[in-house]
Amino acid sequence: AAMVDTIADEPVTVILSKNGFIRSRAGHGIDRAMLTWKDGDGELAVIETRTVHPVILLDAAGRTYSVRPVDLPGGKGDGVPASSLVDLQHGQVVAMLSGPVETKILLATSAGVGFIGRLGDMVSRQKAGKAYMTGEEGVELLPPTPIPAGAAWIAALAEEPRLLLFPIDEMKELAGGKGVILMVL
């Protein structure tokens, strides 16, 4: 008979360091000031999620990797390198997301393109992840942003400085890819 892996649905906080060490703590509302880091390291992301939700790691090239909160080390340690859980294709992890699979995420690059994606479309069963957001060489992935319920507008800011506001329903929803032009730079 096939083994079915059942995971208790519990609150968990997932912690990722700038140097790519990942760990978890049971519960929410942890005191971030009490978190310890290895010398020369620090916080990249601290996300309150649930044990049943996927944790998505993104690399600089827009590739996504999935880990399960239950597979992350807990306790008081520094965690394990994310590279020991997934086969990073482009060096460093630059962002981490987690939540229900229907969570909508705003993704954009330094080239002024982007789209709204769903967390579920970022999940990959492959250790090598999946090419999710593609872009030209030298283009940076901006920090992905979960879209709050009831959000009506998107603001795009260029270095010039120039600010563009537009209704969220004008933004394309895609399952991945390059995205659409948000602002001509």
Side-chain angles (χ1 to χ4, degrees), residues 9-15 23-30 46-53 55 68-70 72 74 98:
D9 182 351
E10 294 168 340
V12 64
T13 301
V14 181
I15 301 153
R23 55 191 158 157
S24 70
R25 293 279 184 280
H28 289 170
I30 64 168
V46 175
I47 294 182
E48 293 184 343
T49 186
R50 302 196 68 82
T51 47
V52 293
H53 297 324
V55 172
R68 301 184 319 163
V70 293
L72 302 175
S98 185

mmCIF file with all atom_site columns, all heavy atoms in Angstrom, residues 9-15 23-30 46-53 55 68-70 72 74 98:
data_model
loop_
_atom_site.group_PDB
_atom_site.id
_atom_site.type_symbol
_atom_site.label_atom_id
_atom_site.label_alt_id
_atom_site.label_comp_id
_atom_site.label_asym_id
_atom_site.label_entity_id
_atom_site.label_seq_id
_atom_site.pdbx_PDB_ins_code
_atom_site.Cartn_x
_atom_site.Cartn_y
_atom_site.Cartn_z
_atom_site.occupancy
_atom_site.B_iso_or_equiv
_atom_site.pdbx_formal_charge
_atom_site.auth_seq_id
_atom_site.auth_comp_id
_atom_site.auth_asym_id
_atom_site.auth_atom_id
_atom_site.pdbx_PDB_model_num
ATOM 1   N N   . ASP A 1 9  ? -1.914 20.623 10.335 1.00 0.00 ? 9  ASP A N   1
ATOM 2   C CA  . ASP A 1 9  ? -1.991 22.026 9.931  1.00 0.00 ? 9  ASP A CA  1
ATOM 3   C C   . ASP A 1 9  ? -1.744 22.893 11.167 1.00 0.00 ? 9  ASP A C   1
ATOM 4   O O   . ASP A 1 9  ? -2.629 23.091 11.988 1.00 0.00 ? 9  ASP A O   1
ATOM 5   C CB  . ASP A 1 9  ? -3.383 22.303 9.337  1.00 0.00 ? 9  ASP A CB  1
ATOM 6   C CG  . ASP A 1 9  ? -3.536 23.724 8.834  1.00 0.00 ? 9  ASP A CG  1
ATOM 7   O OD1 . ASP A 1 9  ? -2.649 24.565 9.086  1.00 0.00 ? 9  ASP A OD1 1
ATOM 8   O OD2 . ASP A 1 9  ? -4.566 24.009 8.196  1.00 0.00 ? 9  ASP A OD2 1
ATOM 9   N N   . GLU A 1 10 ? -0.502 23.370 11.279 1.00 0.00 ? 10 GLU A N   1
ATOM 10  C CA  . GLU A 1 10 ? -0.120 24.160 12.450 1.00 0.00 ? 10 GLU A CA  1
ATOM 11  C C   . GLU A 1 10 ? 0.606  25.432 12.021 1.00 0.00 ? 10 GLU A C   1
ATOM 12  O O   . GLU A 1 10 ? 1.240  25.466 10.966 1.00 0.00 ? 10 GLU A O   1
ATOM 13  C CB  . GLU A 1 10 ? 0.823  23.336 13.355 1.00 0.00 ? 10 GLU A CB  1
ATOM 14  C CG  . GLU A 1 10 ? 0.120  22.133 13.962 1.00 0.00 ? 10 GLU A CG  1
ATOM 15  C CD  . GLU A 1 10 ? 1.088  21.157 14.618 1.00 0.00 ? 10 GLU A CD  1
ATOM 16  O OE1 . GLU A 1 10 ? 2.296  21.180 14.301 1.00 0.00 ? 10 GLU A OE1 1
ATOM 17  O OE2 . GLU A 1 10 ? 0.608  20.359 15.442 1.00 0.00 ? 10 GLU A OE2 1
ATOM 18  N N   . PRO A 1 11 ? 0.543  26.484 12.859 1.00 0.00 ? 11 PRO A N   1
ATOM 19  C CA  . PRO A 1 11 ? 1.292  27.706 12.538 1.00 0.00 ? 11 PRO A CA  1
ATOM 20  C C   . PRO A 1 11 ? 2.788  27.460 12.667 1.00 0.00 ? 11 PRO A C   1
ATOM 21  O O   . PRO A 1 11 ? 3.239  26.752 13.575 1.00 0.00 ? 11 PRO A O   1
ATOM 22  C CB  . PRO A 1 11 ? 0.797  28.713 13.580 1.00 0.00 ? 11 PRO A CB  1
ATOM 23  C CG  . PRO A 1 11 ? 0.234  27.907 14.694 1.00 0.00 ? 11 PRO A CG  1
ATOM 24  C CD  . PRO A 1 11 ? -0.217 26.608 14.118 1.00 0.00 ? 11 PRO A CD  1
ATOM 25  N N   . VAL A 1 12 ? 3.543  28.035 11.732 1.00 0.00 ? 12 VAL A N   1
ATOM 26  C CA  . VAL A 1 12 ? 4.998  27.886 11.740 1.00 0.00 ? 12 VAL A CA  1
ATOM 27  C C   . VAL A 1 12 ? 5.599  29.170 11.176 1.00 0.00 ? 12 VAL A C   1
ATOM 28  O O   . VAL A 1 12 ? 4.976  29.855 10.369 1.00 0.00 ? 12 VAL A O   1
ATOM 29  C CB  . VAL A 1 12 ? 5.431  26.636 10.917 1.00 0.00 ? 12 VAL A CB  1
ATOM 30  C CG1 . VAL A 1 12 ? 5.060  26.781 9.450  1.00 0.00 ? 12 VAL A CG1 1
ATOM 31  C CG2 . VAL A 1 12 ? 6.905  26.329 11.074 1.00 0.00 ? 12 VAL A CG2 1
ATOM 32  N N   . THR A 1 13 ? 6.782  29.521 11.643 1.00 0.00 ? 13 THR A N   1
ATOM 33  C CA  . THR A 1 13 ? 7.504  30.675 11.117 1.00 0.00 ? 13 THR A CA  1
ATOM 34  C C   . THR A 1 13 ? 8.757  30.155 10.427 1.00 0.00 ? 13 THR A C   1
ATOM 35  O O   . THR A 1 13 ? 9.514  29.384 11.018 1.00 0.00 ? 13 THR A O   1
ATOM 36  C CB  . THR A 1 13 ? 7.875  31.653 12.251 1.00 0.00 ? 13 THR A CB  1
ATOM 37  O OG1 . THR A 1 13 ? 6.664  32.068 12.895 1.00 0.00 ? 13 THR A OG1 1
ATOM 38  C CG2 . THR A 1 13 ? 8.596  32.885 11.710 1.00 0.00 ? 13 THR A CG2 1
ATOM 39  N N   . VAL A 1 14 ? 8.935  30.536 9.166  1.00 0.00 ? 14 VAL A N   1
ATOM 40  C CA  . VAL A 1 14 ? 10.098 30.093 8.395  1.00 0.00 ? 14 VAL A CA  1
ATOM 41  C C   . VAL A 1 14 ? 11.072 31.264 8.294  1.00 0.00 ? 14 VAL A C   1
ATOM 42  O O   . VAL A 1 14 ? 10.677 32.396 8.005  1.00 0.00 ? 14 VAL A O   1
ATOM 43  C CB  . VAL A 1 14 ? 9.695  29.578 7.001  1.00 0.00 ? 14 VAL A CB  1
ATOM 44  C CG1 . VAL A 1 14 ? 10.916 29.104 6.222  1.00 0.00 ? 14 VAL A CG1 1
ATOM 45  C CG2 . VAL A 1 14 ? 8.686  28.438 7.129  1.00 0.00 ? 14 VAL A CG2 1
ATOM 46  N N   . ILE A 1 15 ? 12.347 30.960 8.577  1.00 0.00 ? 15 ILE A N   1
ATOM 47  C CA  . ILE A 1 15 ? 13.380 31.991 8.690  1.00 0.00 ? 15 ILE A CA  1
ATOM 48  C C   . ILE A 1 15 ? 14.476 31.705 7.666  1.00 0.00 ? 15 ILE A C   1
ATOM 49  O O   . ILE A 1 15 ? 15.012 30.600 7.622  1.00 0.00 ? 15 ILE A O   1
ATOM 50  C CB  . ILE A 1 15 ? 13.968 31.969 10.118 1.00 0.00 ? 15 ILE A CB  1
ATOM 51  C CG1 . ILE A 1 15 ? 12.844 32.222 11.145 1.00 0.00 ? 15 ILE A CG1 1
ATOM 52  C CG2 . ILE A 1 15 ? 15.101 32.988 10.268 1.00 0.00 ? 15 ILE A CG2 1
ATOM 53  C CD1 . ILE A 1 15 ? 13.111 31.613 12.503 1.00 0.00 ? 15 ILE A CD1 1
ATOM 54  N N   . ARG A 1 23 ? 15.495 27.758 8.333  1.00 0.00 ? 23 ARG A N   1
ATOM 55  C CA  . ARG A 1 23 ? 15.080 27.035 9.539  1.00 0.00 ? 23 ARG A CA  1
ATOM 56  C C   . ARG A 1 23 ? 13.627 27.376 9.824  1.00 0.00 ? 23 ARG A C   1
ATOM 57  O O   . ARG A 1 23 ? 13.049 28.249 9.172  1.00 0.00 ? 23 ARG A O   1
ATOM 58  C CB  . ARG A 1 23 ? 15.966 27.402 10.722 1.00 0.00 ? 23 ARG A CB  1
ATOM 59  C CG  . ARG A 1 23 ? 16.010 28.912 10.979 1.00 0.00 ? 23 ARG A CG  1
ATOM 60  C CD  . ARG A 1 23 ? 17.077 29.316 11.982 1.00 0.00 ? 23 ARG A CD  1
ATOM 61  N NE  . ARG A 1 23 ? 17.417 30.723 11.808 1.00 0.00 ? 23 ARG A NE  1
ATOM 62  C CZ  . ARG A 1 23 ? 17.946 31.487 12.753 1.00 0.00 ? 23 ARG A CZ  1
ATOM 63  N NH1 . ARG A 1 23 ? 18.203 30.979 13.942 1.00 0.00 ? 23 ARG A NH1 1
ATOM 64  N NH2 . ARG A 1 23 ? 18.222 32.751 12.505 1.00 0.00 ? 23 ARG A NH2 1
ATOM 65  N N   . SER A 1 24 ? 13.046 26.704 10.810 1.00 0.00 ? 24 SER A N   1
ATOM 66  C CA  . SER A 1 24 ? 11.663 27.000 11.169 1.00 0.00 ? 24 SER A CA  1
ATOM 67  C C   . SER A 1 24 ? 11.527 27.070 12.682 1.00 0.00 ? 24 SER A C   1
ATOM 68  O O   . SER A 1 24 ? 12.359 26.550 13.423 1.00 0.00 ? 24 SER A O   1
ATOM 69  C CB  . SER A 1 24 ? 10.717 25.939 10.600 1.00 0.00 ? 24 SER A CB  1
ATOM 70  O OG  . SER A 1 24 ? 10.901 24.714 11.290 1.00 0.00 ? 24 SER A OG  1
ATOM 71  N N   . ARG A 1 25 ? 10.473 27.736 13.116 1.00 0.00 ? 25 ARG A N   1
ATOM 72  C CA  . ARG A 1 25 ? 10.103 27.795 14.525 1.00 0.00 ? 25 ARG A CA  1
ATOM 73  C C   . ARG A 1 25 ? 8.608  27.503 14.595 1.00 0.00 ? 25 ARG A C   1
ATOM 74  O O   . ARG A 1 25 ? 7.844  28.012 13.767 1.00 0.00 ? 25 ARG A O   1
ATOM 75  C CB  . ARG A 1 25 ? 10.328 29.188 15.117 1.00 0.00 ? 25 ARG A CB  1
ATOM 76  C CG  . ARG A 1 25 ? 11.771 29.625 15.217 1.00 0.00 ? 25 ARG A CG  1
ATOM 77  C CD  . ARG A 1 25 ? 12.439 29.037 16.454 1.00 0.00 ? 25 ARG A CD  1
ATOM 78  N NE  . ARG A 1 25 ? 13.798 29.526 16.601 1.00 0.00 ? 25 ARG A NE  1
ATOM 79  C CZ  . ARG A 1 25 ? 14.845 29.063 15.932 1.00 0.00 ? 25 ARG A CZ  1
ATOM 80  N NH1 . ARG A 1 25 ? 14.700 28.112 15.046 1.00 0.00 ? 25 ARG A NH1 1
ATOM 81  N NH2 . ARG A 1 25 ? 16.041 29.550 16.147 1.00 0.00 ? 25 ARG A NH2 1
ATOM 82  N N   . ALA A 1 26 ? 8.190  26.732 15.584 1.00 0.00 ? 26 ALA A N   1
ATOM 83  C CA  . ALA A 1 26 ? 6.766  26.453 15.768 1.00 0.00 ? 26 ALA A CA  1
ATOM 84  C C   . ALA A 1 26 ? 6.069  27.747 16.175 1.00 0.00 ? 26 ALA A C   1
ATOM 85  O O   . ALA A 1 26 ? 6.626  28.555 16.916 1.00 0.00 ? 26 ALA A O   1
ATOM 86  C CB  . ALA A 1 26 ? 6.577  25.378 16.838 1.00 0.00 ? 26 ALA A CB  1
ATOM 87  N N   . GLY A 1 27 ? 4.869  27.949 15.643 1.00 0.00 ? 27 GLY A N   1
ATOM 88  C CA  . GLY A 1 27 ? 4.051  29.083 16.051 1.00 0.00 ? 27 GLY A CA  1
ATOM 89  C C   . GLY A 1 27 ? 4.332  30.359 15.281 1.00 0.00 ? 27 GLY A C   1
ATOM 90  O O   . GLY A 1 27 ? 5.191  30.404 14.400 1.00 0.00 ? 27 GLY A O   1
ATOM 91  N N   . HIS A 1 28 ? 3.567  31.398 15.627 1.00 0.00 ? 28 HIS A N   1
ATOM 92  C CA  . HIS A 1 28 ? 3.702  32.732 15.041 1.00 0.00 ? 28 HIS A CA  1
ATOM 93  C C   . HIS A 1 28 ? 4.078  33.700 16.163 1.00 0.00 ? 28 HIS A C   1
ATOM 94  O O   . HIS A 1 28 ? 4.068  33.340 17.330 1.00 0.00 ? 28 HIS A O   1
ATOM 95  C CB  . HIS A 1 28 ? 2.386  33.182 14.394 1.00 0.00 ? 28 HIS A CB  1
ATOM 96  C CG  . HIS A 1 28 ? 2.049  32.434 13.134 1.00 0.00 ? 28 HIS A CG  1
ATOM 97  N ND1 . HIS A 1 28 ? 0.828  32.551 12.516 1.00 0.00 ? 28 HIS A ND1 1
ATOM 98  C CD2 . HIS A 1 28 ? 2.783  31.582 12.387 1.00 0.00 ? 28 HIS A CD2 1
ATOM 99  C CE1 . HIS A 1 28 ? 0.819  31.790 11.432 1.00 0.00 ? 28 HIS A CE1 1
ATOM 100 N NE2 . HIS A 1 28 ? 1.989  31.191 11.331 1.00 0.00 ? 28 HIS A NE2 1
ATOM 101 N N   . GLY A 1 29 ? 4.378  34.947 15.783 1.00 0.00 ? 29 GLY A N   1
ATOM 102 C CA  . GLY A 1 29 ? 4.642  35.985 16.770 1.00 0.00 ? 29 GLY A CA  1
ATOM 103 C C   . GLY A 1 29 ? 5.965  35.818 17.495 1.00 0.00 ? 29 GLY A C   1
ATOM 104 O O   . GLY A 1 29 ? 6.109  36.251 18.633 1.00 0.00 ? 29 GLY A O   1
ATOM 105 N N   . ILE A 1 30 ? 6.952  35.204 16.824 1.00 0.00 ? 30 ILE A N   1
ATOM 106 C CA  . ILE A 1 30 ? 8.257  35.049 17.481 1.00 0.00 ? 30 ILE A CA  1
ATOM 107 C C   . ILE A 1 30 ? 8.940  36.415 17.592 1.00 0.00 ? 30 ILE A C   1
ATOM 108 O O   . ILE A 1 30 ? 8.695  37.310 16.784 1.00 0.00 ? 30 ILE A O   1
ATOM 109 C CB  . ILE A 1 30 ? 9.178  34.046 16.735 1.00 0.00 ? 30 ILE A CB  1
ATOM 110 C CG1 . ILE A 1 30 ? 9.524  34.545 15.333 1.00 0.00 ? 30 ILE A CG1 1
ATOM 111 C CG2 . ILE A 1 30 ? 8.577  32.654 16.702 1.00 0.00 ? 30 ILE A CG2 1
ATOM 112 C CD1 . ILE A 1 30 ? 10.649 33.766 14.677 1.00 0.00 ? 30 ILE A CD1 1
ATOM 113 N N   . VAL A 1 46 ? 11.521 36.519 7.104  1.00 0.00 ? 46 VAL A N   1
ATOM 114 C CA  . VAL A 1 46 ? 10.886 35.788 8.204  1.00 0.00 ? 46 VAL A CA  1
ATOM 115 C C   . VAL A 1 46 ? 9.396  35.779 7.863  1.00 0.00 ? 46 VAL A C   1
ATOM 116 O O   . VAL A 1 46 ? 8.775  36.836 7.794  1.00 0.00 ? 46 VAL A O   1
ATOM 117 C CB  . VAL A 1 46 ? 11.138 36.464 9.575  1.00 0.00 ? 46 VAL A CB  1
ATOM 118 C CG1 . VAL A 1 46 ? 10.361 35.750 10.674 1.00 0.00 ? 46 VAL A CG1 1
ATOM 119 C CG2 . VAL A 1 46 ? 12.633 36.494 9.899  1.00 0.00 ? 46 VAL A CG2 1
ATOM 120 N N   . ILE A 1 47 ? 8.855  34.592 7.609  1.00 0.00 ? 47 ILE A N   1
ATOM 121 C CA  . ILE A 1 47 ? 7.481  34.494 7.123  1.00 0.00 ? 47 ILE A CA  1
ATOM 122 C C   . ILE A 1 47 ? 6.647  33.598 8.030  1.00 0.00 ? 47 ILE A C   1
ATOM 123 O O   . ILE A 1 47 ? 7.028  32.462 8.309  1.00 0.00 ? 47 ILE A O   1
ATOM 124 C CB  . ILE A 1 47 ? 7.449  33.942 5.681  1.00 0.00 ? 47 ILE A CB  1
ATOM 125 C CG1 . ILE A 1 47 ? 8.101  34.946 4.729  1.00 0.00 ? 47 ILE A CG1 1
ATOM 126 C CG2 . ILE A 1 47 ? 6.025  33.628 5.244  1.00 0.00 ? 47 ILE A CG2 1
ATOM 127 C CD1 . ILE A 1 47 ? 8.084  34.524 3.280  1.00 0.00 ? 47 ILE A CD1 1
ATOM 128 N N   . GLU A 1 48 ? 5.510  34.136 8.472  1.00 0.00 ? 48 GLU A N   1
ATOM 129 C CA  . GLU A 1 48 ? 4.554  33.338 9.236  1.00 0.00 ? 48 GLU A CA  1
ATOM 130 C C   . GLU A 1 48 ? 3.663  32.615 8.242  1.00 0.00 ? 48 GLU A C   1
ATOM 131 O O   . GLU A 1 48 ? 3.045  33.242 7.379  1.00 0.00 ? 48 GLU A O   1
ATOM 132 C CB  . GLU A 1 48 ? 3.713  34.234 10.152 1.00 0.00 ? 48 GLU A CB  1
ATOM 133 C CG  . GLU A 1 48 ? 4.550  34.853 11.254 1.00 0.00 ? 48 GLU A CG  1
ATOM 134 C CD  . GLU A 1 48 ? 3.730  35.676 12.248 1.00 0.00 ? 48 GLU A CD  1
ATOM 135 O OE1 . GLU A 1 48 ? 2.572  36.044 11.932 1.00 0.00 ? 48 GLU A OE1 1
ATOM 136 O OE2 . GLU A 1 48 ? 4.252  35.951 13.348 1.00 0.00 ? 48 GLU A OE2 1
ATOM 137 N N   . THR A 1 49 ? 3.628  31.287 8.351  1.00 0.00 ? 49 THR A N   1
ATOM 138 C CA  . THR A 1 49 ? 2.836  30.488 7.423  1.00 0.00 ? 49 THR A CA  1
ATOM 139 C C   . THR A 1 49 ? 2.240  29.318 8.194  1.00 0.00 ? 49 THR A C   1
ATOM 140 O O   . THR A 1 49 ? 2.147  29.367 9.422  1.00 0.00 ? 49 THR A O   1
ATOM 141 C CB  . THR A 1 49 ? 3.693  30.058 6.202  1.00 0.00 ? 49 THR A CB  1
ATOM 142 O OG1 . THR A 1 49 ? 2.854  29.404 5.255  1.00 0.00 ? 49 THR A OG1 1
ATOM 143 C CG2 . THR A 1 49 ? 4.866  29.173 6.587  1.00 0.00 ? 49 THR A CG2 1
ATOM 144 N N   . ARG A 1 50 ? 1.828  28.281 7.473  1.00 0.00 ? 50 ARG A N   1
ATOM 145 C CA  . ARG A 1 50 ? 1.288  27.077 8.118  1.00 0.00 ? 50 ARG A CA  1
ATOM 146 C C   . ARG A 1 50 ? 2.037  25.867 7.571  1.00 0.00 ? 50 ARG A C   1
ATOM 147 O O   . ARG A 1 50 ? 2.520  25.905 6.434  1.00 0.00 ? 50 ARG A O   1
ATOM 148 C CB  . ARG A 1 50 ? -0.219 26.962 7.897  1.00 0.00 ? 50 ARG A CB  1
ATOM 149 C CG  . ARG A 1 50 ? -0.975 28.195 8.439  1.00 0.00 ? 50 ARG A CG  1
ATOM 150 C CD  . ARG A 1 50 ? -2.450 27.991 8.597  1.00 0.00 ? 50 ARG A CD  1
ATOM 151 N NE  . ARG A 1 50 ? -2.780 27.048 9.649  1.00 0.00 ? 50 ARG A NE  1
ATOM 152 C CZ  . ARG A 1 50 ? -2.836 27.343 10.960 1.00 0.00 ? 50 ARG A CZ  1
ATOM 153 N NH1 . ARG A 1 50 ? -2.557 28.562 11.383 1.00 0.00 ? 50 ARG A NH1 1
ATOM 154 N NH2 . ARG A 1 50 ? -3.170 26.419 11.836 1.00 0.00 ? 50 ARG A NH2 1
ATOM 155 N N   . THR A 1 51 ? 2.096  24.822 8.362  1.00 0.00 ? 51 THR A N   1
ATOM 156 C CA  . THR A 1 51 ? 2.863  23.628 7.978  1.00 0.00 ? 51 THR A CA  1
ATOM 157 C C   . THR A 1 51 ? 2.367  23.002 6.681  1.00 0.00 ? 51 THR A C   1
ATOM 158 O O   . THR A 1 51 ? 3.126  22.304 6.010  1.00 0.00 ? 51 THR A O   1
ATOM 159 C CB  . THR A 1 51 ? 2.817  22.577 9.104  1.00 0.00 ? 51 THR A CB  1
ATOM 160 O OG1 . THR A 1 51 ? 1.461  22.431 9.539  1.00 0.00 ? 51 THR A OG1 1
ATOM 161 C CG2 . THR A 1 51 ? 3.695  22.978 10.278 1.00 0.00 ? 51 THR A CG2 1
ATOM 162 N N   . VAL A 1 52 ? 1.110  23.251 6.305  1.00 0.00 ? 52 VAL A N   1
ATOM 163 C CA  . VAL A 1 52 ? 0.555  22.641 5.091  1.00 0.00 ? 52 VAL A CA  1
ATOM 164 C C   . VAL A 1 52 ? 0.795  23.475 3.829  1.00 0.00 ? 52 VAL A C   1
ATOM 165 O O   . VAL A 1 52 ? 0.503  23.023 2.720  1.00 0.00 ? 52 VAL A O   1
ATOM 166 C CB  . VAL A 1 52 ? -0.969 22.384 5.247  1.00 0.00 ? 52 VAL A CB  1
ATOM 167 C CG1 . VAL A 1 52 ? -1.221 21.311 6.304  1.00 0.00 ? 52 VAL A CG1 1
ATOM 168 C CG2 . VAL A 1 52 ? -1.712 23.671 5.590  1.00 0.00 ? 52 VAL A CG2 1
ATOM 169 N N   . HIS A 1 53 ? 1.312  24.695 3.993  1.00 0.00 ? 53 HIS A N   1
ATOM 170 C CA  . HIS A 1 53 ? 1.542  25.569 2.832  1.00 0.00 ? 53 HIS A CA  1
ATOM 171 C C   . HIS A 1 53 ? 2.948  25.371 2.274  1.00 0.00 ? 53 HIS A C   1
ATOM 172 O O   . HIS A 1 53 ? 3.890  25.159 3.035  1.00 0.00 ? 53 HIS A O   1
ATOM 173 C CB  . HIS A 1 53 ? 1.355  27.047 3.202  1.00 0.00 ? 53 HIS A CB  1
ATOM 174 C CG  . HIS A 1 53 ? -0.030 27.393 3.640  1.00 0.00 ? 53 HIS A CG  1
ATOM 175 N ND1 . HIS A 1 53 ? -1.159 26.818 3.099  1.00 0.00 ? 53 HIS A ND1 1
ATOM 176 C CD2 . HIS A 1 53 ? -0.472 28.264 4.576  1.00 0.00 ? 53 HIS A CD2 1
ATOM 177 C CE1 . HIS A 1 53 ? -2.237 27.320 3.682  1.00 0.00 ? 53 HIS A CE1 1
ATOM 178 N NE2 . HIS A 1 53 ? -1.846 28.193 4.591  1.00 0.00 ? 53 HIS A NE2 1
ATOM 179 N N   . VAL A 1 55 ? 6.576  26.399 0.848  1.00 0.00 ? 55 VAL A N   1
ATOM 180 C CA  . VAL A 1 55 ? 7.513  27.511 0.984  1.00 0.00 ? 55 VAL A CA  1
ATOM 181 C C   . VAL A 1 55 ? 8.241  27.595 -0.350 1.00 0.00 ? 55 VAL A C   1
ATOM 182 O O   . VAL A 1 55 ? 8.801  26.606 -0.821 1.00 0.00 ? 55 VAL A O   1
ATOM 183 C CB  . VAL A 1 55 ? 8.504  27.280 2.143  1.00 0.00 ? 55 VAL A CB  1
ATOM 184 C CG1 . VAL A 1 55 ? 9.586  28.356 2.142  1.00 0.00 ? 55 VAL A CG1 1
ATOM 185 C CG2 . VAL A 1 55 ? 7.762  27.260 3.471  1.00 0.00 ? 55 VAL A CG2 1
ATOM 186 N N   . ARG A 1 68 ? 9.062  22.038 1.985  1.00 0.00 ? 68 ARG A N   1
ATOM 187 C CA  . ARG A 1 68 ? 7.939  21.905 2.910  1.00 0.00 ? 68 ARG A CA  1
ATOM 188 C C   . ARG A 1 68 ? 8.403  22.339 4.291  1.00 0.00 ? 68 ARG A C   1
ATOM 189 O O   . ARG A 1 68 ? 9.496  21.965 4.716  1.00 0.00 ? 68 ARG A O   1
ATOM 190 C CB  . ARG A 1 68 ? 7.458  20.454 2.957  1.00 0.00 ? 68 ARG A CB  1
ATOM 191 C CG  . ARG A 1 68 ? 7.008  19.929 1.611  1.00 0.00 ? 68 ARG A CG  1
ATOM 192 C CD  . ARG A 1 68 ? 6.442  18.519 1.684  1.00 0.00 ? 68 ARG A CD  1
ATOM 193 N NE  . ARG A 1 68 ? 7.198  17.642 2.572  1.00 0.00 ? 68 ARG A NE  1
ATOM 194 C CZ  . ARG A 1 68 ? 6.739  16.492 3.052  1.00 0.00 ? 68 ARG A CZ  1
ATOM 195 N NH1 . ARG A 1 68 ? 5.528  16.075 2.731  1.00 0.00 ? 68 ARG A NH1 1
ATOM 196 N NH2 . ARG A 1 68 ? 7.483  15.745 3.861  1.00 0.00 ? 68 ARG A NH2 1
ATOM 197 N N   . PRO A 1 69 ? 7.575  23.120 4.989  1.00 0.00 ? 69 PRO A N   1
ATOM 198 C CA  . PRO A 1 69 ? 7.968  23.551 6.340  1.00 0.00 ? 69 PRO A CA  1
ATOM 199 C C   . PRO A 1 69 ? 8.374  22.380 7.239  1.00 0.00 ? 69 PRO A C   1
ATOM 200 O O   . PRO A 1 69 ? 9.309  22.505 8.023  1.00 0.00 ? 69 PRO A O   1
ATOM 201 C CB  . PRO A 1 69 ? 6.715  24.253 6.869  1.00 0.00 ? 69 PRO A CB  1
ATOM 202 C CG  . PRO A 1 69 ? 6.037  24.770 5.639  1.00 0.00 ? 69 PRO A CG  1
ATOM 203 C CD  . PRO A 1 69 ? 6.289  23.716 4.589  1.00 0.00 ? 69 PRO A CD  1
ATOM 204 N N   . VAL A 1 70 ? 7.716  21.228 7.076  1.00 0.00 ? 70 VAL A N   1
ATOM 205 C CA  . VAL A 1 70 ? 8.032  20.077 7.936  1.00 0.00 ? 70 VAL A CA  1
ATOM 206 C C   . VAL A 1 70 ? 9.415  19.503 7.665  1.00 0.00 ? 70 VAL A C   1
ATOM 207 O O   . VAL A 1 70 ? 9.951  18.756 8.485  1.00 0.00 ? 70 VAL A O   1
ATOM 208 C CB  . VAL A 1 70 ? 6.965  18.949 7.824  1.00 0.00 ? 70 VAL A CB  1
ATOM 209 C CG1 . VAL A 1 70 ? 5.634  19.414 8.408  1.00 0.00 ? 70 VAL A CG1 1
ATOM 210 C CG2 . VAL A 1 70 ? 6.800  18.463 6.394  1.00 0.00 ? 70 VAL A CG2 1
ATOM 211 N N   . LEU A 1 72 ? 12.075 21.376 7.285  1.00 0.00 ? 72 LEU A N   1
ATOM 212 C CA  . LEU A 1 72 ? 13.069 22.357 7.731  1.00 0.00 ? 72 LEU A CA  1
ATOM 213 C C   . LEU A 1 72 ? 13.459 22.088 9.181  1.00 0.00 ? 72 LEU A C   1
ATOM 214 O O   . LEU A 1 72 ? 12.616 21.725 9.991  1.00 0.00 ? 72 LEU A O   1
ATOM 215 C CB  . LEU A 1 72 ? 12.503 23.777 7.608  1.00 0.00 ? 72 LEU A CB  1
ATOM 216 C CG  . LEU A 1 72 ? 12.058 24.184 6.209  1.00 0.00 ? 72 LEU A CG  1
ATOM 217 C CD1 . LEU A 1 72 ? 11.405 25.547 6.239  1.00 0.00 ? 72 LEU A CD1 1
ATOM 218 C CD2 . LEU A 1 72 ? 13.226 24.162 5.238  1.00 0.00 ? 72 LEU A CD2 1
ATOM 219 N N   . GLY A 1 74 ? 14.153 22.725 12.991 1.00 0.00 ? 74 GLY A N   1
ATOM 220 C CA  . GLY A 1 74 ? 13.627 23.657 13.989 1.00 0.00 ? 74 GLY A CA  1
ATOM 221 C C   . GLY A 1 74 ? 14.668 23.862 15.066 1.00 0.00 ? 74 GLY A C   1
ATOM 222 O O   . GLY A 1 74 ? 15.861 23.777 14.809 1.00 0.00 ? 74 GLY A O   1
ATOM 223 N N   . SER A 1 98 ? 5.421  32.204 1.116  1.00 0.00 ? 98 SER A N   1
ATOM 224 C CA  . SER A 1 98 ? 4.654  31.050 1.559  1.00 0.00 ? 98 SER A CA  1
ATOM 225 C C   . SER A 1 98 ? 3.223  31.493 1.805  1.00 0.00 ? 98 SER A C   1
ATOM 226 O O   . SER A 1 98 ? 2.967  32.658 2.086  1.00 0.00 ? 98 SER A O   1
ATOM 227 C CB  . SER A 1 98 ? 5.240  30.438 2.829  1.00 0.00 ? 98 SER A CB  1
ATOM 228 O OG  . SER A 1 98 ? 4.546  29.244 3.169  1.00 0.00 ? 98 SER A OG  1
#
